Amino acid sequence: MMSCCSSEKKHHQIASRILIDAQKNIRHKLLLLGPAFAGKSTIFKQLRRIYTNSYTTNQSRDFFKPAIRACLIEGIKILIKEAQRTDTELSLLGMKYASAILELELNDSLSPEIGQQIAFLWNKEPTIKLAFTNKSKFHLDDSAAYMLDHVERISQNDYLPTEEDIIRVRIRTSGVVETKFSLNKAPFSIIDVGGQIGERKKWIH
């Protein structure tokens, strides 16, 4: 009970401070730091969705389509290669589809036909799912399973990314990205920076 009261008191104190700062026009800054794959950009996109309605237009969502499809193609190619590395066998049809998919580049267009082939491998080939269960032994993007579960929708010609698709896809952050918004009339800034070692010298700026 004491913990609950203490938490409510702390929340009230923070809300009061934000209101006072809003009257003084003080801008709060939230800087997201951490190594690559730590989830900084995911938090950044979630905050943008909540406070700025950044992903409500077709144009803003369409921007993420290439990255989402590239993530999907990369994910299935990694799983195919891992299945091949462990000498687990695909069906004859699975081998045919896998051979064609391995020829794809990440920036290639994703047709409904290719989407069906990927869906077959993901849903019908036990060796692909077996490779996925061993994902701790190799690098596979956290969003790969989600993208593969939705491959037939994502591969449609009229595909438009949903907000969930946008939150899930990982796009490498380069440099410094800042979004500004207001919370209880107080100005806020969220700052996302690249987590790769080569990007970290920019953190001090």
Side-chain angles (χ1 to χ4, degrees), residues 72 122 145-155 159 165:
L72 199 158
W122 176 243
Y146 171 85
M147 299 302 177
L148 289 167
D149 283 340
H150 295 270
V151 59
E152 292 184 273
R153 172 175 62 82
I154 293 172
S155 61
Y159 166 65
D165 296 344

Side-chain angles (χ1 to χ4, degrees), residues 160-189:
L160 185 67
T162 66
E163 288 191 355
E164 186 66 18
D165 296 344
I166 293 169
I167 295 299
R168 294 270 189 166
V169 69
R170 180 180 183 273
I171 299 178
R172 175 178 172 175
T173 302
S174 179
V176 179
V177 181
E178 182 177 7
T179 288
K180 298 179 180 180
F181 62 93
S182 294
L183 177 61
N184 293 336
K185 298 182 179 180
F188 268 77
S189 291

Side-chain angles (χ1 to χ4, degrees), residues 9 13 67 127 130 135 142 149 171 193 204:
K9 182 179 180 181
Q13 290 174 341
T127 54
L130 179 61
K135 65 182 184 296
D142 290 341
D149 283 340
I171 299 178
V193 296
I204 60 175

Side-chain angles (χ1 to χ4, degrees), residues 69-185:
R69 288 179 163 174
C71 175
L72 199 158
I73 292 173
E74 181 181 40
I76 193 62
K77 288 178 70 172
I78 289 172
L79 291 173
I80 291 170
K81 290 176 182 178
E82 183 61 21
Q84 292 176 338
R85 187 187 68 80
T86 55
D87 293 326
T88 50
E89 293 185 358
L90 295 167
S91 67
L92 290 176
L93 186 57
M95 286 191 289
K96 176 183 176 182
Y97 290 164
S99 179
I101 290 167
L102 287 176
E103 295 296 321
L104 294 174
E105 300 292 338
L106 298 186
N107 59 353
D108 283 348
S109 60
L110 183 63
S111 67
E113 180 183 2
I114 296 173
Q116 290 175 0
Q117 294 175 3
I118 295 174
F120 177 88
L121 291 172
W122 176 243
N123 295 314
K124 304 295 185 182
E125 288 289 345
T127 54
I128 296 298
K129 283 297 178 71
L130 179 61
F132 179 76
T133 61
N134 294 320
K135 65 182 184 296
S136 61
K137 300 177 181 179
F138 56 93
H139 175 69
L140 183 69
D141 196 284
D142 290 341
S143 63
Y146 171 85
M147 299 302 177
L148 289 167
D149 283 340
H150 295 270
V151 59
E152 292 184 273
R153 172 175 62 82
I154 293 172
S155 61
Q156 293 301 307
N157 293 327
D158 60 352
Y159 166 65
L160 185 67
T162 66
E163 288 191 355
E164 186 66 18
D165 296 344
I166 293 169
I167 295 299
R168 294 270 189 166
V169 69
R170 180 180 183 273
I171 299 178
R172 175 178 172 175
T173 302
S174 179
V176 179
V177 181
E178 182 177 7
T179 288
K180 298 179 180 180
F181 62 93
S182 294
L183 177 61
N184 293 336
K185 298 182 179 180

